Amino acid sequence: MSTPYQLTYATMFDPPQALHQCFEAALAEVAPTLGAEHAMHIGGKPRHAERSFELRSPIDHTMLLGRFPLGGTADVDDAVAAARAAATGWAATPHTQRIEALRRAAALIEQRVYELSAKLALEVGKNRMEAIGEVQETADLITWYCDQMAEHGGFDRPLPDDPLPDWRSHNRTVLKPHGVWAVIAPFNFPFALAGGPIAAALVTGNTVVFKTASDTAWSGRLLMDVFDAAGLPPGVLNLVSGTGTQVGAALMRHPAVAGGTFTGSHEVGTALLRHFVSGARPRPLIAEMGGKNAAIVTRHADVERAATGIVRSAFGLQGQKCSACSRVYVERPLAEALRQQLQQRTAAVAVGDPTLLAHWMGPVINGAAVARYRKACAELLAHGRVLSGGAVLADGALARGHFVAPTVAELPYGHQLWRDELFLPLVLVGEVDSLDEAITRANDSDYGLTAGFYGARDEIATFLDRVEAGVTYINRPQGATTGAWPGYQPFGGWKGSSNTGKAIGSFWYLPQYTREQSQTIVD
């Protein structure tokens, strides 16, 4: 008896034909709707601005996706004020009712999964499976947090009475919301990394103001529409749009924001952390700040399995994942075989319009990413060796987008590219003499998000005991360092990758959005 198909990032490589048919039908329906004017959402009402900005697809510069408000600090002030006004009522709403509203949102996402994923593919440049996967992942994250809230009874627990002979002293512990919560989401997962934190904040009783990256403003509006249709009261969830330097900074530095979730660069994240803990009232910030993820391949590894997993992790979403594999350390006896396998598989990667089934890799997000790629390739040519790729792709229709070749290269270990997070389809391969050296080099990074291992069974414990990463994968062809899914693999980093060490989609994530109150009542 066959197992029904369930989409995750591990199962996305061989979907049923019906999934492709549904996506293509949705894409055809979306095309005539492109170019519309969109609004922010503040206090339950649409909000426009005096100025707007155009959003065009990274697949094709001539494709206008929509026009979006270029908001300002006054819009942020109004959004935070609306969230503050709604905070008392939402916190007092029984957690069971909050769960019901968010489950409705998850159901709406699943009902619209193909429409939303078609729009996401056009906006981010994801292939169809990555786009469908992210939309479904968003629904699964919302459901997971609802399940956790229900399982823990709203985090309200009775404790033993004090042992007093003449009095009855009743004790309990309750996790309560902070108030207004800010959410800043990145361009690479604008649905999941906005929808997940929003759901976590809302289900625990906080109200929310959120902003996605300007490159993915459409996703923010689409997500807002879903939550609004689920019946959230006005002001409980608010959307602002505009530049990160103005609107994003104003939101995260607003004095009435009680806590926040930020996903983005290490530089910005650490600056925000310093801000959130300064002043008379330190505030919580959940900061997810990237990775420089390594895969280790020992002399005992299955080289074909390792190469498959590395290519999938290095070039999925054009390397624009904080979990992407960007470093490979291989023991010398297997190094040449691995290089050959990586070259063959990389040369076979089809690059082009990712909404077409024939193309697995799409464009990078914008011109700045292309410039960063050019600079990195110049360094490779000057100081190392390019094994595959290393070129901007501009032939034919590709010239209308931001397309670059998936790249495998070698560099001396002292080069800065071994340390910098590039967010590009570029993976470096280096030889090592032992597993011990490989782990030492893998750990020699300020980041500690994900790590992969290919080798013998008796080597696994050594890797797991010593590697400094929050998410680990062993002998996994589906992805050397990528592929976490709610309920299967919690996703969060160590060291400079995260400030909390508590992972997205884990059992320990929700309490970060609350503060504990001990209650003692004496009769």
Side-chain angles (χ1 to χ4, degrees), residues 111-442:
Q111 290 171 19
R112 297 176 57 191
V113 65
Y114 294 107
E115 171 213 339
L116 294 172
S117 60
K119 293 175 178 178
L120 188 67
L122 293 173
E123 183 178 44
V124 182
K126 295 192 174 198
N127 68 39
R128 60 180 60 187
M129 294 309 301
E130 290 270 9
I132 297 169
E134 182 185 347
V135 175
Q136 182 60 51
E137 181 189 19
T138 309
D140 286 2
L141 280 168
I142 296 170
T143 300
W144 174 264
Y145 296 140
C146 288
D147 290 346
Q148 288 298 301
M149 194 70 175
E151 182 178 330
H152 291 282
F155 295 98
D156 183 337
R157 298 189 61 172
L159 298 170
D161 292 352
D162 285 330
L164 300 173
D166 300 320
W167 304 87
R168 295 193 64 191
S169 180
H170 307 296
N171 303 309
R172 68 188 314 106
T173 175
V174 182
L175 296 187
K176 293 193 170 187
H178 287 269
V180 179
W181 201 272
V183 173
I184 300 287
F187 79 84
N188 59 340
F189 287 88
F191 241 75
L193 293 182
I198 287 170
L202 292 179
V203 80
T204 50
N206 301 281
T207 55
V208 174
V209 180
F210 84 104
K211 177 192 178 300
T212 60
S214 295
D215 285 316
T216 50
W218 196 16
S219 291
R221 182 65 248 187
L222 294 168
L223 190 60
M224 182 70 242
D225 290 342
V226 168
F227 280 109
D228 190 42
L232 293 179
V236 166
L237 179 62
N238 307 272
L239 167 69
V240 293
S241 60
T243 66
T245 54
Q246 185 175 22
V247 173
L251 174 58
M252 295 305 275
R253 294 181 178 275
H254 200 288
V257 165
T261 301
F262 167 82
T263 308
S265 72
H266 182 267
E267 179 184 10
V268 175
T270 51
L272 287 174
L273 280 167
R274 288 190 289 269
H275 173 72
F276 268 69
V277 300
S278 65
R281 300 182 182 182
R283 294 168 293 164
L285 178 70
I286 301 168
E288 304 294 337
M289 299 177 287
K292 186 68 176 175
N293 310 293
I296 292 173
V297 183
T298 78
R299 67 192 70 202
H300 307 295
D302 179 329
V303 68
E304 292 188 0
R305 182 186 294 197
T308 299
I310 290 165
V311 166
R312 285 174 170 173
S313 282
F315 306 136
L317 186 53
Q318 297 74 263
Q320 298 172 127
K321 298 180 181 180
C322 52
S323 58
C325 181
S326 59
R327 297 182 290 153
V328 175
Y329 301 107
V330 55
E331 282 196 275
R332 296 189 194 281
L334 206 65
E336 183 56 32
L338 180 65
R339 280 192 291 265
Q340 291 178 7
Q341 289 282 343
L342 290 176
Q343 287 175 279
Q344 292 171 10
R345 282 166 168 74
T346 302
V349 171
V351 182
D353 181 346
T355 65
L356 301 178
L357 182 57
H359 299 143
W360 184 69
M361 207 177 103
V364 292
I365 191 64
N366 53 31
V370 175
R372 198 165 63 249
Y373 179 86
R374 289 183 187 275
K375 183 177 179 181
C377 289
E379 287 294 305
L380 295 175
L381 293 172
H383 303 286
R385 182 166 70 117
V386 175
L387 304 178
S388 184
V392 173
L393 304 178
D395 292 337
L398 298 185
R400 298 198 300 270
H402 303 299
F403 293 92
V404 301
T407 300
V408 182
E410 296 177 318
L411 269 178
Y413 278 132
H415 197 283
Q416 191 63 29
L417 289 183
W418 281 101
R419 311 190 70 84
D420 292 345
E421 183 185 31
L422 297 176
F423 240 55
L424 294 169
L426 193 161
V427 61
L428 297 176
V429 180
E431 295 185 14
V432 294
D433 290 318
S434 65
L435 173 59
D436 178 74
E437 181 188 352
I439 295 173
T440 298
R441 290 192 179 278

